[in-house]
């Protein structure tokens, strides 16, 4: 992916799935909540979560191997392979809420110095081996990130109408003066300290392993069980 060009992989993560949400292939992750600064996209997030909609995958015709690189039925069939639709998780769409303000690099502290919180009702989905994942995305305002993809690569900025060498590449030389081939005094060239992998970034900030155990027999079905934790 753009922020993982050398293909490094940590643990069992799929960098492409980590970097894009909602993801277009099937995953085991069940979505709980999306916090966003742009709530106009909430319907999109909820409607495209695998909680409520199936996801397709391309499988190699002879081996049935999943071909991650193929993302659409058309591309799959063009290679004479089989596009298979896997079902949704069959649960409610994730909640989508406005993201609270947070002070930069202060581990989620909000107004008053308190942590941002979300009250999650743990589902009755008993299992010994569960993983809870929190990831956050930093979206750039330098370009229209939602509508630009790989077809814009290597365009030297012309398609985006960028002036004076403002190219989306690492450490570009930019002319902040008045470009003039005849008068060098009008040219003021500086180098911008830019790492394009940092324009938009997704972090898997925390992952926690836990178990969901059956409700004790002596606790009524309608009783509230509080899960108490401490800040580590």
């Amino acid at each position: 992916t753009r922020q993982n060009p050398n293909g490094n992989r940590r643990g069992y993560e799929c960098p492409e799935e980590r970097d894009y949400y909602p993801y277009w292939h099937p995953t085991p992750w069940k979505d709980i909540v999306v916090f966003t600064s742009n709530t106009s996209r909430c319907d999109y997030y909820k409607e495209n979560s695998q909680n409520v909609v199936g996801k397709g995958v391309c499988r190699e015709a002879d081996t049935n191997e999943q071909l991650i690189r193929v993302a659409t039925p058309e591309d799959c069939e063009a290679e004479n392979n089989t596009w298979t639709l896997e079902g949704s998780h069959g649960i409610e769409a994730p909640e989508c809420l406005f993201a609270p303000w947070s002070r930069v690099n202060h581990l989620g502290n909000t107004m008053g110095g308190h942590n941002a919180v979300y009250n999650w009702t743990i589902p009755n989905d008993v299992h010994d081996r569960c993983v809870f994942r929190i990831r956050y995305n930093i979206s750039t305002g330098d370009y229209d990130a939602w509508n630009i993809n790989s077809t814009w690569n290597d365009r030297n900025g012309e398609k985006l109408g960028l002036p004076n060498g403002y190219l989306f590449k690492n450490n570009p030389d930019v002319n902040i003066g008045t470009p003039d081939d005849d008068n060098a005094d009008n040219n003021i060239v500086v180098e911008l300290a830019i790492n394009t992998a940092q324009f938009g970034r997704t972090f898997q900030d925390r992952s926690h392993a836990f178990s969901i155990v059956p409700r004790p027999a002596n606790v009524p079905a309608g009783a509230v069980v509080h899960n108490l934790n401490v800040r580590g």
Side-chain angles (χ1 to χ4, degrees):
T1 64
R2 171 189 44 75
Q3 69 184 54
N4 190 52
N6 61 359
N8 278 352
R9 183 175 178 181
R10 293 169 178 83
Y12 292 106
E13 76 173 1
C14 170
E16 184 181 71
E17 183 273 334
R18 175 200 65 199
D19 294 350
Y20 297 96
Y21 180 83
Y23 190 48
W24 40 87
H25 288 314
T27 81
W29 298 104
K30 299 176 181 178
D31 301 326
I32 299 170
V33 61
V34 177
F35 286 100
T36 176
S37 58
N38 183 1
T39 54
S40 69
R41 294 196 176 273
C42 277
D43 287 345
Y44 172 78
Y45 293 136
K46 297 170 75 170
E47 292 167 1
N48 288 278
S49 165
Q50 198 179 345
N51 287 10
V52 298
V53 65
K55 300 288 184 175
V57 62
C58 185
R59 295 194 178 276
E60 211 278 333
D62 296 326
T63 65
N64 202 40
E65 177 186 359
Q66 181 173 336
L67 303 174
I68 294 291
R69 61 179 175 79
V70 183
T72 68
E74 294 76 16
D75 290 342
C76 183
E77 293 166 5
E79 297 183 9
N80 296 319
N81 294 312
T82 303
W83 184 261
T84 303
L85 186 65
E86 298 190 8
S88 70
H89 295 310
I91 58 178
E92 292 185 0
E95 193 169 6
C96 186
L97 303 171
F98 183 75
W101 176 89
S102 177
R103 186 177 177 186
V104 175
N105 289 332
H106 277 70
L107 298 177
N109 283 358
T110 59
M111 292 294 185
H114 301 292
N115 281 130
V117 298
Y118 176 76
N119 289 322
W120 176 44
T121 300
I122 298 176
N124 186 23
D125 190 1
V126 175
H127 204 288
D128 286 337
R129 302 173 68 184
C130 303
V131 177
F132 178 88
R133 177 176 70 167
I134 302 174
R135 60 180 174 177
Y136 67 95
N137 171 270
I138 299 173
S139 298
T140 183
D142 292 284
Y143 56 88
D144 185 4
W146 277 91
N147 297 303
I148 290 178
N149 54 38
S150 61
T151 62
W152 293 75
N153 287 350
D154 301 323
R155 299 296 183 179
N156 294 325
E158 287 95 350
K159 273 199 168 185
L160 300 177
L162 302 175
N164 300 344
Y166 282 84
L167 309 181
F168 289 122
K169 66 179 183 179
N170 291 341
N171 303 323
D173 291 328
V174 174
N175 191 343
I176 63 173
T178 303
D180 189 341
D181 293 334
D182 297 324
N183 187 350
D185 291 338
N186 292 334
N187 296 315
I188 305 174
V189 179
V190 298
E191 182 181 276
L192 298 183
I194 285 179
N195 177 356
T196 58
Q198 304 294 329
F199 268 137
R201 193 83 190 270
T202 302
F203 299 84
Q204 276 183 222
D205 188 39
R206 296 289 184 270
S207 295
H208 304 274
F210 66 105
S211 299
I212 298 178
V213 299
R215 179 182 291 263
N218 62 342
V219 177
V224 176
V225 178
H226 294 280
N227 182 28
L228 300 180
N229 296 277
V230 296
R231 181 179 179 181

